[in-house]
Amino acid sequence: MIKRDKVVYQIYPKSFKDSNGDGLGDIRGMIEKLDYLQDLGVDYIWSTPFFVSPQNDNGYDVADYYNIDSRYGTMEDVEELISEAKKRNIGLMFDMVFNHTSTEHEWFKKALAGDEKYQNYYIFKDGTPDKVPTNWASKFGGSAWEYIPHLKKWYLHLFDKTQADLNWDNPEVRDELKKVILFWKEKGVVGYRFDVVNLISKPATFEDDDIGDGRRFYTDGPNVHEYLKELVKDTGMEDMMTVGEMSSTSLENCVRYSNPDEGELAMVFNFHHLKVDYKNGDKWTLQAPDYKQLKNLFKTWQLGIQEGNGLNAMFLCNHDQPRAISRFGNDTKYWKESAEMLATLIHMMQGIPYIYQGEELGMTNHGYTTIEQYRDVESLNYYKILMERGMTSDEALHVLNERSRDNGRTPMQWNSDTYAGFSTVEPWIPLPENYKTINAESEFHDETSIYNYYKKLIQIRKNHRAISYGSISFIDNEDDEVIVYVRECEEERIVVIVNLVEDKKELILHENLDLASKIISNYDSNEVNGNILSLKPYECLVIKTR
Ligand code: TEU
């Protein structure tokens, strides 16, 4: 059973710390910063992949699951990272990209060479270049199929064409992937994040999608639960720290994925709350965040997962998302208040909180102004697609500035030195200008910093059973932009009040709150007059009532 007083820190190695002066983050850089993470108080590190890869998708295009890409370091470095982290009571979770491999993987190369055994490791369809098997779209733009003339076959790639989808219906594929899990388990890895794992089970027949982009056919597919149960059982992962990235999933499926009685995963990431600023559900059509929808989604998923005895992985940032403070807060006028409000919202809810590197510092979006600054394959594809749809370059760059995954991939801001202390040379991706003021060194010893606020939140989770193990219920109020929820266990009851926006609010209280029992707030003083709580911009308040 997963201990629920734990917190996970996500590292994107390429942007975390460069130890050898090549402008790329690496594993030795991660080792250098373990003391920082120990001070923050996190219990696990989820590292995104550093396996052998051509880096078309920064490592999510794996060419060898058993070896370390030399850009990041060596196997000895990884073994040292695992052992040094363990000395600091930090467990390592590795990122398993099992929906697809790189087309540079030896399996795919053998398939291209005509080896039918390995062609059945992937999803190939006989055909002619003029007739694509289905009209499905790649999530990175364009068709989800690529034609191989010398084989007279198409292969499926839900992401980039250099990321070929694996055929999970083939037991040989499932056995290969179990061996990968066992290899890293033997090395001391204590958990796994499974990349888009709810996409692994494809339909028996492939047909056009006349109402969508094809995702309804392969998302939470026909055998996904069976395959997950088999993978977990055959590798003994039942009690490990496992989390599934569930793309476009449903609450019902997430209960099944994460209810311990099902024998699948320990917890799930869902993304519905990170689409409230997608107009008509389209990532590349901007709209202001719909806070009413955000509030309702958190309530629905918190209560639904609780009802089903599942477990949410709670997060607002990761390597695929813009920085939450720029997206949902105010990263200038209310930089500190909004960063701390968003952190409180997430960390006081039911589930396991995930901190993405730099989030604890209040790192913001990049503010790029030219396409040459971008690196992400998805962003570069959509720059072209948006202009093909009729946008000017400036209009497309404005959309990228809001939506690009590169917003979360700028180098970690360690100090105000040149290159932010991330590297001694120009990093692989440009830094935002604000690293001179937003950095770990300027916050580490400042008791009032965002960094030290995160430290307090992590300790609150460990010191208050109502937060780690308590139930959750929501107190409805008439304001769509104020969330009030209650965390409760036998020993204590804690009320969490969050003003999601910059407007001041007057909240009618349904009970007396004794500010002397305040646990934390992002403001030094809070104003209660009778049964009215006056909320300042982005004000949050966590208060014990029993
Ligand atoms: O992401 C899945 C995915 O769909 C994300 O790319 C995200 O939902 C999308 O960019 C939103 O537009 C996982 C990894 O986290 C991501 O980094 C990989 O690029 C992707 O899978 C393919 O492995």
Side-chain angles (χ1 to χ4, degrees):
M1 193 67 157
I2 289 298
K3 291 188 168 53
R4 296 193 176 196
D5 60 348
K6 304 301 182 188
V7 176
V8 183
Y9 189 90
Q10 182 196 352
I11 292 179
Y12 196 68
K14 197 166 186 173
S15 303
F16 191 64
K17 179 69 174 67
D18 168 19
S19 71
N20 63 354
D22 63 359
L24 295 172
D26 48 52
I27 294 157
R28 298 220 64 81
M30 293 163 72
I31 295 169
E32 279 178 27
K33 295 299 181 181
L34 285 173
D35 288 340
Y36 167 83
L37 297 175
Q38 185 180 24
D39 180 81
L40 180 58
V42 299
D43 305 282
Y44 295 92
I45 292 169
W46 153 31
S47 172
T48 58
F50 38 55
F51 309 113
V52 173
S53 160
Q55 298 292 307
N56 297 322
D57 188 16
N58 288 344
Y60 281 93
D61 45 332
V62 177
D64 181 347
Y65 289 105
Y66 294 99
N67 284 291
I68 308 307
D69 194 287
S70 57
R71 296 176 185 85
Y72 292 106
T74 65
M75 183 62 83
E76 291 68 30
D77 294 333
V78 168
E79 289 163 348
E80 187 178 338
L81 171 66
I82 293 169
S83 65
E84 285 301 315
K86 190 173 180 185
K87 289 176 189 168
R88 296 164 174 84
N89 294 318
I90 297 175
L92 260 292
M93 297 167 68
F94 277 12
D95 203 325
M96 296 286 114
V97 188
F98 283 174
N99 176 69
H100 48 270
T101 74
S102 163
T103 49
E104 296 297 309
H105 197 291
E106 63 164 353
W107 300 340
F108 194 79
K109 287 180 178 173
K110 288 178 178 174
L112 289 183
D115 187 327
E116 288 186 13
K117 165 187 168 68
Y118 289 101
Q119 285 178 358
N120 197 28
Y121 271 35
Y122 297 92
I123 298 166
F124 280 97
K125 294 294 173 197
D126 292 330
T128 55
D130 60 332
K131 181 81 179 71
V132 67
T134 68
N135 66 349
W136 298 1
S138 156
K139 288 175 185 284
F140 290 168
S143 170
W145 297 93
E146 184 71 10
Y147 191 66
I148 306 290
H150 76 271
L151 293 180
K152 295 188 174 54
K153 293 179 189 293
W154 297 82
Y155 69 86
L156 179 68
H157 60 88
L158 296 180
F159 293 91
D160 189 61
K161 68 180 178 185
T162 63
Q163 295 167 290
D165 278 57
L166 284 166
N167 171 16
W168 271 73
D169 293 334
N170 181 349
E172 290 180 357
V173 167
R174 302 201 299 270
D175 287 344
E176 292 278 13
L177 300 177
K178 291 170 194 172
K179 287 178 197 158
V180 175
I181 292 287
L182 293 171
F183 176 84
W184 291 113
K185 189 176 174 184
E186 182 61 32
K187 289 279 184 185
V189 167
V190 297
Y192 302 95
R193 179 262 189 181
F194 290 98
D195 187 60
V196 289
V197 73
N198 68 318
L199 309 185
I200 59 176
S201 174
K202 294 354 185 236
T205 56
F206 288 77
E207 56 185 281
D208 278 348
D209 187 350
D210 52 10
I211 59 172
D213 63 5
R215 69 181 65 194
R216 66 191 174 99
F217 293 116
Y218 56 76
T219 302
D220 301 326
N223 301 312
V224 66
H225 293 286
E226 175 199 335
Y227 292 158
L228 277 176
K229 286 172 172 47
E230 177 188 308
L231 183 73
V232 168
K233 182 172 176 294
D234 291 358
T235 56
M237 284 195 283
E238 291 84 351
D239 297 327
M240 293 183 82
M241 194 68 177
T242 55
V243 57
E245 180 194 35
M246 305 300 181
S247 177
S248 306
T249 189
S250 69
L251 177 56
E252 294 68 27
N253 275 291
C254 281
V255 164
R256 290 183 64 191
Y257 290 131
S258 61
N259 179 320
D261 298 340
E262 294 287 343
E264 295 181 25
L265 300 175
M267 67 196 87
V268 289
F269 287 119
N270 89 81
F271 294 81
H272 294 279
H273 58 297
L274 295 181
K275 297 184 178 178
V276 298
D277 55 357
Y278 289 12
K279 188 166 186 171
N280 306 321
D282 175 23
K283 170 173 178 175
W284 305 98
T285 306
L286 307 183
Q287 72 173 24
D290 180 336
Y291 289 100
K292 180 178 181 180
Q293 189 189 11
L294 185 67
K295 176 178 175 179
N296 290 335
L297 280 166
F298 274 128
K299 182 177 175 183
T300 302
W301 277 81
Q302 284 285 305
L303 297 180
I305 288 286
Q306 172 176 257
E307 176 69 28
N309 193 28
L311 187 59
N312 277 309
M314 298 303 297
F315 75 110
L316 288 173
C317 292
N318 68 24
H319 62 291
D320 294 328
Q321 299 293 335
R323 292 281 179 177
I325 185 175
S326 302
R327 185 178 188 182
F328 299 115
N330 177 327
D331 63 10
T332 50
K333 186 177 178 187
Y334 292 102
W335 169 70
K336 182 179 179 312
E337 293 81 357
S338 62
E340 293 172 356
M341 174 277 290
L342 291 166
T344 305
L345 174 67
I346 290 298
H347 280 255
M348 297 295 100
M349 277 189 184
Q350 204 179 66
I352 302 293
Y354 282 65
I355 300 171
Y356 178 60
Q357 66 183 47
E359 175 189 337
E360 77 280 9
L361 303 177
M363 278 176 59
T364 68
N365 278 355
H366 49 47
Y368 292 166
T369 55
T370 69
I371 193 59
E372 289 72 26
Q373 291 173 293
Y374 285 88
R375 300 291 180 270
D376 173 29
V377 57
E378 180 193 49
S379 302
L380 295 170
N381 286 352
Y382 269 92
Y383 176 67
K384 294 183 201 126
I385 291 168
L386 293 172
M387 289 203 289
E388 284 161 5
R389 290 179 186 171
M391 280 193 191
T392 65
S393 172
D394 284 350
E395 288 165 339
L397 285 170
H398 171 62
V399 174
L400 252 56
N401 201 44
E402 297 297 317
R403 291 292 143 84
S404 169
R405 301 192 301 178
D406 282 332
N407 279 307
R409 300 176 180 185
T410 57
M412 184 71 176
Q413 296 168 196
W414 294 109
N415 59 44
S416 59
D417 296 348
T418 310
Y419 309 130
F422 163 75
S423 178
T424 53
V425 298
E426 177 77 34
W428 70 280
I429 186 170
L431 275 155
E433 269 309 303
N434 62 23
Y435 75 87
K436 299 183 182 80
T437 51
I438 299 176
N439 59 68
E441 191 172 79
S442 70
E443 296 190 32
F444 195 78
H445 297 297
D446 172 359
E447 260 310 300
T448 68
S449 68
I450 297 172
Y451 172 84
N452 279 298
Y453 190 92
Y454 268 81
K455 275 185 75 171
K456 290 171 189 151
L457 288 176
I458 293 168
Q459 289 312 309
I460 289 168
R461 174 165 290 274
K462 295 180 185 307
N463 300 331
H464 290 273
R465 191 169 174 78
I467 299 297
S468 48
Y469 289 91
S471 65
I472 190 165
S473 57
F474 287 78
I475 297 179
D476 289 332
N477 65 78
E478 59 292 337
D479 195 317
D480 292 336
E481 295 167 337
V482 175
I483 293 183
V484 183
Y485 59 85
V486 177
R487 302 299 315 275
E488 193 164 6
C489 65
E490 198 175 322
E491 310 88 59
E492 61 180 349
R493 178 178 182 272
I494 293 173
V495 175
V496 181
I497 300 168
V498 177
N499 177 9
L500 292 167
V501 296
E502 195 162 322
D503 304 336
K504 293 180 180 174
K505 303 282 184 178
E506 299 288 316
L507 182 70
I508 299 170
L509 297 170
H510 299 277
E511 59 186 293
N512 291 329
L513 297 178
D514 175 4
L515 288 177
S517 304
K518 173 164 79 172
I519 295 174
I520 194 168
S521 174
N522 55 350
Y523 283 88
D524 291 338
S525 66
N526 314 92
E527 194 183 334
V528 177
N529 293 310
N531 70 335
I532 301 291
L533 172 64
S534 300
L535 292 169
K536 296 179 274 296
Y538 302 108
E539 183 172 349
C540 64
L541 172 61
V542 180
I543 191 162
K544 196 171 159 75
T545 61
R546 169 176 55 82

